[in-house]
Amino acid sequence: MLYGFGPILLAGTLETIKLSVLSLAVAVVLGLVGAAAKLSRHRPLRSVATAYTTLIRSVPDLVLMLLLFY
């Protein structure tokens, strides 16, 4: 039924799962760093975090993806 492509599909599936878990871990770390920066007592750090949040929230996701891709 899979015509010998079973091992390749399994390898691709495992690679996709690894990439998903790694992406989730990076997103959690970046989110925690951003949250800590916004709650910081240091005004410059808080200002940078607020500016970043404002910029990212104001630009639609598709536009960000296109900017990163090209």
Side-chain angles (χ1 to χ4, degrees), residues 18-43:
K18 284 192 257 181
L19 183 62
S20 299
V21 170
L22 180 63
S23 297
L24 179 64
V26 169
V28 167
V29 168
L30 289 176
L32 288 173
V33 168
K38 287 199 67 143
L39 295 173
S40 174
R41 292 182 185 170
H42 302 290
R43 186 176 174 94

Side-chain angles (χ1 to χ4, degrees), residues 41-67:
R41 292 182 185 170
H42 302 290
R43 186 176 174 94
L45 193 60
R46 197 172 53 237
S47 297
V48 168
T50 301
Y52 173 78
T53 303
T54 303
L55 177 70
I56 294 301
R57 281 188 159 176
S58 65
V59 179
D61 290 340
L62 183 58
V63 174
L64 285 174
M65 285 186 264
L66 288 172
L67 285 174

